[in-house]
Amino acid sequence: QVQLVESGGGVVQPGRSLRLSCAASGFSFSIYGMHWVRQAPGKGLEWVAVIWYEGINKYYLDSVKGRFTISRDTSKNTLYLQMNSLRPDDTAVYYCARGTNQSPRDIWGQGTLVTVSS
Amino acid sequence: DIQMTQSPSSLSASVGDRVTITCQASQDISNFLNWYQQKPGQAPKLLIYDASNLETGVPSRFSGRGSGTEFTFIISTLQPEDIATYYCQHHDSLPITFGQGTRLGIK
């Protein structure tokens, strides 16, 4: 079964760190671009980051650049998002999504909620 | 950044109606546009990619058209299960951006 399963969300204080994971199964993880997209409570969708299939090219939303790091471990079929210096406006459900290098596409995880609050 | 403007932000229609949602890009994005459906508590689901291509397994009552800056998403015959929020999303350049969403309800 083709699926993505996120984990690692939770409640964290401003300024602290959190690492999200996205476990892929049922497909060849290494040939797809992978994305993180977030959705603040009651709001729309916001693209956060992409890592190309080869794991070298990485691009970020300006507001997370320098704080968030996207990575992938092909041996574990897992995508990561290391989030440092978290701010209250990072509070959102974070989705991982399979796609091309240019866009999320057809497979999305169920999402994991990150709440940044003191 | 390319801004995506969807309209309307919400609408109500009756079962069987034809529903149209538009999405305008702030600059030419060719056909690099996707449409998603999101139901409450669920992840987005890809319906249309590259402006007019129906994703595998998606009912044929959904369609999309347009290029450049003007795009249209159509549900030909509204069904009760189509109640959701719909988003357009460009992938012409980074950052990828989404429209603000259109919340579709039943009259």
Coordinates of all heavy atoms in Angstrom, one line a residue, chain A residues 69-110:
Chain A
T69 N 15.3 22.5 8.4 CA 16.2 21.7 7.5 C 15.4 20.4 7.1 O 15.0 19.7 7.9 CB 17.5 21.3 8.1 OG1 18.2 22.5 8.6 CG2 18.4 20.5 7.2
I70 N 15.3 20.3 5.8 CA 14.7 19.1 5.2 C 15.8 18.1 4.8 O 16.8 18.5 4.4 CB 13.8 19.4 4.0 CG1 12.9 18.2 3.5 CG2 14.6 20.0 2.8 CD1 11.9 18.6 2.4
S71 N 15.5 16.8 5.1 CA 16.5 15.8 4.7 C 15.7 14.5 4.4 O 14.5 14.4 4.7 CB 17.5 15.6 5.8 OG 16.9 15.2 7.0
R72 N 16.5 13.6 3.9 CA 15.9 12.2 3.6 C 16.9 11.2 3.8 O 18.1 11.4 3.6 CB 15.3 12.2 2.2 CG 16.3 12.3 1.1 CD 15.6 12.6 -0.3 NE 14.7 11.6 -0.7 CZ 13.8 11.7 -1.6 NH1 13.7 12.9 -2.3 NH2 13.0 10.7 -2.0
D73 N 16.5 10.0 4.2 CA 17.3 8.8 4.4 C 16.7 7.7 3.6 O 15.7 7.1 3.9 CB 17.3 8.4 5.9 CG 18.3 7.3 6.2 OD1 18.6 6.5 5.2 OD2 18.8 7.2 7.3
T74 N 17.3 7.5 2.4 CA 16.8 6.5 1.5 C 16.9 5.1 2.0 O 16.0 4.3 1.8 CB 17.6 6.6 0.2 OG1 17.5 7.9 -0.4 CG2 17.1 5.6 -0.9
S75 N 17.9 4.8 2.9 CA 18.0 3.5 3.5 C 16.8 3.2 4.4 O 16.4 2.0 4.6 CB 19.3 3.3 4.2 OG 19.3 4.1 5.4
K76 N 16.2 4.2 4.9 CA 15.1 4.1 5.9 C 13.8 4.5 5.2 O 12.7 4.5 5.9 CB 15.3 4.9 7.1 CG 16.5 4.4 8.0 CD 16.6 5.2 9.2 CE 17.8 4.7 10.1 NZ 18.0 5.5 11.3
N77 N 13.8 4.9 4.0 CA 12.6 5.4 3.3 C 11.9 6.5 4.1 O 10.6 6.4 4.3 CB 11.6 4.3 2.9 CG 12.1 3.4 1.8 OD1 13.0 3.8 1.0 ND2 11.6 2.2 1.7
T78 N 12.6 7.4 4.7 CA 12.1 8.4 5.6 C 12.5 9.8 5.2 O 13.7 10.0 4.9 CB 12.5 8.1 7.0 OG1 12.0 6.7 7.4 CG2 11.8 9.0 8.0
L79 N 11.6 10.7 5.3 CA 11.8 12.1 5.1 C 11.7 12.8 6.5 O 11.0 12.4 7.4 CB 10.6 12.7 4.2 CG 10.6 14.2 4.0 CD1 11.7 14.6 3.0 CD2 9.2 14.6 3.4
Y80 N 12.5 13.8 6.6 CA 12.6 14.5 7.9 C 12.4 16.0 7.7 O 12.7 16.6 6.7 CB 13.9 14.3 8.6 CG 14.3 12.9 8.9 CD1 15.1 12.1 8.0 CD2 13.7 12.2 10.0 CE1 15.4 10.8 8.3 CE2 14.0 10.9 10.2 CZ 14.8 10.2 9.4 OH 15.1 8.9 9.6
L81 N 12.0 16.7 8.8 CA 12.0 18.1 8.9 C 12.5 18.5 10.3 O 11.8 18.3 11.2 CB 10.6 18.7 8.6 CG 10.6 20.3 8.5 CD1 11.3 20.7 7.3 CD2 9.2 20.8 8.5
Q82 N 13.7 19.0 10.3 CA 14.3 19.5 11.6 C 13.9 20.9 11.7 O 14.2 21.8 10.9 CB 15.8 19.4 11.6 CG 16.4 19.9 12.8 CD 16.1 19.1 14.1 OE1 16.1 17.9 14.1 NE2 15.8 19.8 15.2
M83 N 13.1 21.3 12.8 CA 12.6 22.6 13.0 C 13.3 23.2 14.3 O 13.1 22.7 15.4 CB 11.1 22.6 13.2 CG 10.4 21.9 12.0 SD 8.6 22.0 12.1 CE 8.3 21.0 13.5
N84 N 14.1 24.2 14.1 CA 14.7 24.9 15.2 C 14.1 26.3 15.4 O 13.5 26.8 14.5 CB 16.2 25.0 14.9 CG 16.9 23.6 14.8 OD1 16.4 22.6 15.4 ND2 18.0 23.6 14.0
S85 N 14.4 26.9 16.5 CA 14.0 28.3 16.8 C 12.5 28.4 16.5 O 12.1 29.4 15.8 CB 14.8 29.3 16.1 OG 16.2 29.1 16.4
L86 N 11.7 27.5 17.0 CA 10.3 27.5 16.6 C 9.6 28.8 17.2 O 9.9 29.3 18.3 CB 9.6 26.3 17.1 CG 9.8 25.0 16.2 CD1 9.6 23.7 17.0 CD2 9.0 25.1 15.0
R87 N 8.6 29.2 16.4 CA 7.8 30.4 16.8 C 6.4 30.1 16.8 O 5.9 29.1 16.2 CB 8.1 31.5 15.7 CG 9.5 31.8 15.4 CD 9.8 32.9 14.5 NE 9.1 32.9 13.2 CZ 9.6 33.4 12.1 NH1 10.9 33.9 12.1 NH2 8.9 33.5 11.0
P88 N 5.6 30.9 17.5 CA 4.1 30.6 17.6 C 3.5 30.5 16.2 O 2.5 29.7 16.0 CB 3.6 31.8 18.4 CG 4.7 32.1 19.3 CD 5.9 31.9 18.5
D89 N 4.0 31.3 15.3 CA 3.3 31.2 13.9 C 3.8 30.0 13.1 O 3.3 29.9 12.0 CB 3.6 32.5 13.1 CG 5.0 32.8 12.9 OD1 5.9 32.1 13.4 OD2 5.3 33.8 12.2
D90 N 4.6 29.1 13.7 CA 4.9 27.8 13.1 C 3.8 26.8 13.4 O 3.9 25.7 12.9 CB 6.2 27.3 13.5 CG 7.4 28.2 12.9 OD1 7.3 28.6 11.8 OD2 8.3 28.5 13.7
T91 N 2.9 27.2 14.3 CA 1.9 26.2 14.7 C 1.0 25.8 13.6 O 0.4 26.7 12.9 CB 1.0 26.9 15.8 OG1 1.8 27.1 17.0 CG2 -0.2 26.0 16.2
A92 N 0.9 24.5 13.3 CA 0.2 24.1 12.1 C 0.2 22.5 12.1 O 0.9 21.9 12.8 CB 0.9 24.6 10.8
V93 N -0.7 22.0 11.3 CA -0.6 20.6 10.9 C 0.5 20.5 9.7 O 0.4 21.3 8.8 CB -1.9 20.0 10.4 CG1 -1.7 18.6 9.8 CG2 -2.9 20.0 11.6
Y94 N 1.4 19.7 9.9 CA 2.5 19.5 8.9 C 2.2 18.2 8.1 O 2.1 17.2 8.7 CB 3.9 19.5 9.5 CG 4.3 20.9 9.9 CD1 3.8 21.5 11.1 CD2 5.3 21.6 9.2 CE1 4.2 22.8 11.5 CE2 5.7 22.9 9.6 CZ 5.1 23.4 10.7 OH 5.5 24.7 11.1
Y95 N 2.1 18.4 6.8 CA 1.9 17.3 5.9 C 3.2 17.0 5.1 O 3.8 18.0 4.6 CB 0.8 17.5 4.9 CG -0.5 17.7 5.4 CD1 -1.1 19.0 5.6 CD2 -1.4 16.6 5.8 CE1 -2.4 19.2 6.1 CE2 -2.6 16.8 6.3 CZ -3.1 18.1 6.4 OH -4.4 18.3 6.9
C96 N 3.6 15.8 4.9 CA 4.6 15.4 3.9 C 3.8 15.0 2.6 O 2.7 14.4 2.7 CB 5.5 14.3 4.4 SG 4.8 12.8 4.8
A97 N 4.4 15.2 1.5 CA 3.8 14.8 0.2 C 4.8 14.4 -0.8 O 5.9 15.0 -0.9 CB 3.0 16.0 -0.3
R98 N 4.4 13.3 -1.5 CA 5.2 12.9 -2.6 C 4.9 13.7 -3.8 O 3.8 14.2 -4.0 CB 4.8 11.4 -2.9 CG 5.6 10.8 -4.0 CD 5.2 9.3 -4.2 NE 4.1 9.2 -5.2 CZ 3.7 8.0 -5.7 NH1 4.4 6.9 -5.4 NH2 2.7 8.0 -6.6
G99 N 5.9 13.9 -4.7 CA 5.7 14.7 -5.9 C 6.8 14.6 -6.9 O 7.6 13.7 -6.9
T100 N 6.9 15.7 -7.6 CA 8.1 15.9 -8.5 C 9.0 16.8 -7.8 O 8.7 17.3 -6.7 CB 7.6 16.5 -9.8 OG1 7.1 17.8 -9.5 CG2 6.5 15.7 -10.5
N101 N 10.1 17.1 -8.4 CA 11.0 18.1 -7.8 C 10.4 19.5 -7.7 O 10.7 20.3 -6.9 CB 12.3 18.2 -8.6 CG 13.2 17.0 -8.4 OD1 13.1 16.2 -7.5 ND2 14.1 16.8 -9.4
Q102 N 9.4 19.7 -8.5 CA 8.8 21.0 -8.6 C 7.5 21.2 -7.9 O 7.0 22.3 -7.6 CB 8.5 21.4 -10.1 CG 9.7 21.7 -10.9 CD 10.5 20.4 -11.2 OE1 10.0 19.4 -11.4 NE2 11.9 20.6 -11.2
S103 N 6.8 20.1 -7.5 CA 5.5 20.2 -6.9 C 5.1 18.9 -6.1 O 5.4 17.8 -6.5 CB 4.5 20.4 -8.0 OG 3.2 20.5 -7.5
P104 N 4.4 19.2 -5.0 CA 3.7 18.0 -4.4 C 2.7 17.5 -5.3 O 2.2 18.2 -6.2 CB 3.1 18.6 -3.1 CG 2.9 20.1 -3.4 CD 4.1 20.4 -4.3
R105 N 2.3 16.2 -5.2 CA 1.4 15.7 -6.1 C 0.4 14.7 -5.5 O -0.4 15.2 -4.7 CB 2.1 15.0 -7.3 CG 2.8 15.9 -8.3 CD 1.8 16.5 -9.3 NE 1.3 15.5 -10.2 CZ 1.8 15.3 -11.4 NH1 2.8 16.0 -11.8 NH2 1.3 14.4 -12.2
D106 N 0.6 13.4 -5.7 CA -0.5 12.5 -5.5 C -0.6 11.8 -4.1 O -1.7 11.4 -3.8 CB -0.4 11.4 -6.6 CG 0.9 10.7 -6.6 OD1 1.9 11.2 -6.0 OD2 1.0 9.6 -7.2
I107 N 0.4 11.7 -3.4 CA 0.3 11.0 -2.1 C 0.7 12.0 -1.0 O 1.8 12.6 -1.0 CB 1.3 9.8 -2.1 CG1 1.0 8.9 -3.2 CG2 1.2 9.1 -0.7 CD1 -0.4 8.3 -3.2
W108 N -0.2 12.1 0.0 CA 0.0 12.9 1.2 C -0.1 12.1 2.4 O -1.0 11.2 2.5 CB -1.0 14.1 1.2 CG -0.9 15.1 0.1 CD1 -0.9 14.9 -1.3 CD2 -0.7 16.5 0.2 NE1 -0.7 16.0 -1.9 CE2 -0.6 17.0 -1.0 CE3 -0.5 17.3 1.4 CZ2 -0.4 18.4 -1.3 CZ3 -0.4 18.7 1.1 CH2 -0.3 19.2 -0.2
G109 N 0.6 12.5 3.5 CA 0.4 11.8 4.8 C -0.8 12.4 5.4 O -1.5 13.3 4.9
Q110 N -1.1 11.9 6.6 CA -2.3 12.3 7.3 C -2.1 13.6 8.1 O -3.0 14.2 8.6 CB -2.8 11.2 8.3 CG -2.1 11.1 9.6 CD -0.6 10.6 9.6 OE1 -0.1 10.2 8.5 NE2 0.1 10.6 10.7

